[in-house]
Amino acid sequence: MMEDILAYMHNFPAAGAKGPFTGLSAAWSCPSNIALVKYWGKRDGQLPVNPSLSMTLTQAVTRTRLTVAAETCEPGLASVNGDPGHPFLGKLRVLHRWFCETIPALRPLALTVETRNTFPHSSGIASSASGLGAFALCMLDLAGLLTKAGTAQDEFMRAASMAARIGSGSACRSLFGGFAWWGESPLMGESSDQYAVKIRNGIHPEMYGLRDAILVISSRPKELPSSAGHRAMDRHPFREGRISHAGENLRELLDALASGDFGKLADIAENEALTLHSLMMSARPGVILLQPGTLEAIARVREARRAGVPVCFTIDAGANLHLLYPATASADVERLISEALRPLCENELVIYDSCGTGPVRLAETQPLA
Ligand code: DP6
């Protein structure tokens, strides 16, 4: 399958790229995602040590437009939002280089990037997932436009997912609506370490209504970049245990998603969040990213669940909580947030989101903001 995808990409130049291309553009909106079973640890560069499963979001999106600059410009990525020194350029250039190696038609182009997030930076929403997902979609789209190569939707998304993974592992799961799976496993047909797949069957309809309210406990940049955290898993004493533990959680989560059992999903999501942080704490050097406000919020969420409110939390590599709850519990959870949780948040910031339908291609003239 991976060979098929690479062949698909290599075939772009075969269709013949005839300029001039100045002004040609591609634009996409790509959502972020929240992992219920976490990807933590890599092998051979950008491959996961364990499969992961995420829910794609709706509101938290990156909208990106790539435009071919004048042909007199130096090939490569010229700027992001008009800034030739933009901090996101480093990550984009890694992925851009990979695209140019894979699709030769893209090599001569000078490109400018316009990009907007709908959510604040360092809010606990993975901007690299949505940002690199959107960039991968635009690059692939541009390759298709240049060469007028036909694109079948499934193949296109799989190739975009594979490319997004090169930019950031979790980004490969953002390319599909609903729930996505990344990592080869007998539990999921057609799964691969190279790209994510949409979980097409066996999801209870109510699960597509899941909400995610993000409690921004701290917007300070993370003390531990994800890449360093993944690296710390290479020689982690609990590495093997974690790999089999993730497999058990995935099996149970698939059951919970299929039966619509929110209580079971809550158990697994919280266990994954706390396991992720335990792994970070027990690495060398150990890192504590949870803040006092995080722990207080966890206690209050669990108290509410014991009192009958179907709500649980998950946390990525940071201090902020994602509260997950069924749509039917929205009123109860919103009350819980305003009475007990919002005061724990920095500037009382809470971002409401929900399970979404995946990326959208934007019209040529559509504004990004
Ligand atoms: C804790 O995808 O940010 O959010 O591949 O180095 O870019 P890189 O790492 P990244 O790691 C995300 C880790 C996580 C869990 C998850 O999203 O599965």
Side-chain angles (χ1 to χ4, degrees):
M1 188 58 93
M2 185 182 108
E3 286 70 26
D4 290 354
I5 294 175
L6 285 174
Y8 165 78
M9 293 207 223
H10 279 295
N11 275 339
F12 277 123
K18 298 249 163 24
F21 300 121
T22 305
L24 198 68
S25 71
W28 280 83
S29 169
C30 183
S32 189
N33 69 78
I34 177 70
L36 303 180
V37 171
K38 310 291 182 185
Y39 143 58
W40 200 239
K42 308 185 195 194
R43 57 183 180 77
D44 306 330
Q46 274 296 93
L47 301 177
V49 294
N50 64 272
S52 55
L53 191 161
S54 60
M55 178 175 94
T56 300
L57 299 178
T58 307
Q59 304 294 334
V61 302
T62 300
R63 298 194 189 101
T64 297
R65 173 169 286 117
L66 274 186
T67 307
V68 181
E71 270 157 46
T72 48
C73 295
E74 188 79 4
L77 290 185
S79 61
V80 171
N81 296 342
D83 179 358
H86 194 281
F88 200 36
L89 262 171
K91 277 196 168 182
L92 293 183
R93 284 201 168 117
V94 171
L95 183 49
H96 178 261
R97 219 175 1 257
W98 182 85
F99 264 110
C100 290
E101 281 161 16
T102 312
I103 307 177
L106 292 167
R107 282 179 205 158
L109 303 182
L111 300 168
T112 59
V113 185
E114 288 296 317
T115 189
R116 307 272 183 281
N117 290 338
T118 55
F119 52 93
H121 194 60
S122 295
S123 59
I125 301 173
S127 58
S128 59
S130 53
L132 290 158
F135 182 77
L137 285 160
C138 290
M139 287 295 290
L140 206 56
D141 216 358
L142 214 50
L145 290 173
L146 288 179
T147 61
K148 303 190 174 51
T151 49
Q153 178 74 357
D154 279 359
E155 247 178 321
F156 179 84
M157 284 301 178
R158 216 174 292 135
S161 174
M162 180 167 167
R165 170 183 63 83
I166 306 297
S168 177
S170 54
C172 75
R173 298 184 310 238
S174 272
L175 282 283
F176 308 97
F179 296 86
W181 178 289
W182 172 35
E184 195 175 328
S185 164
L187 293 173
M188 183 60 50
E190 292 202 23
S191 55
S192 168
D193 285 344
Q194 306 286 338
Y195 49 83
V197 291
K198 182 181 170 70
I199 306 180
R200 290 186 188 280
N201 303 311
I203 305 274
H204 192 283
E206 276 172 23
M207 289 294 175
Y208 291 111
L210 272 183
R211 301 287 194 260
D212 176 9
I214 299 121
L215 306 181
V216 183
I217 304 289
S218 166
S219 65
R220 264 202 317 230
K222 286 189 294 188
E223 200 185 302
L224 176 81
S226 298
S227 49
H230 288 293
R231 250 193 327 274
M233 285 306 288
D234 291 350
R235 294 185 302 128
H236 199 291
F238 305 148
R239 179 187 156 95
E240 296 313 314
R242 163 59 188 161
I243 294 171
S244 55
H245 170 257
E248 285 157 28
N249 275 352
L250 282 163
R251 191 189 307 274
E252 281 192 44
L253 182 58
L254 285 177
D255 284 350
L257 288 172
S259 59
D261 184 342
F262 180 79
K264 197 165 178 177
L265 180 141
D267 273 357
I268 300 158
E270 293 192 353
N271 177 261
E272 277 291 315
L274 297 178
T275 300
L276 172 71
H277 282 266
S278 317
L279 289 167
M280 287 188 270
M281 289 186 221
S282 52
R284 290 258 175 96
V287 184
I288 303 174
L289 299 182
L290 303 176
Q291 301 273 324
T294 318
L295 298 178
E296 186 54 39
I298 288 175
R300 294 182 190 182
V301 169
R302 288 188 156 179
E303 195 181 302
R305 192 156 78 250
R306 277 194 299 274
V309 182
V311 59
C312 69
F313 65 85
T314 184
I315 316 174
D316 276 344
N320 302 322
L321 258 73
H322 289 245
L323 298 190
L324 304 173
Y325 50 98
T328 48
S330 292
D332 286 343
V333 176
E334 281 167 26
R335 194 171 322 111
L336 170 73
I337 289 173
S338 62
E339 286 172 5
L341 298 170
R342 196 183 281 283
L344 299 171
C345 298
E346 188 180 281
N347 300 322
E348 305 219 330
L349 181 58
V350 178
I351 300 167
Y352 286 95
D353 212 326
S354 57
C355 183
T357 51
V360 179
R361 182 185 269 115
L362 302 176
E364 212 175 314
T365 50
Q366 199 165 327
L368 299 180

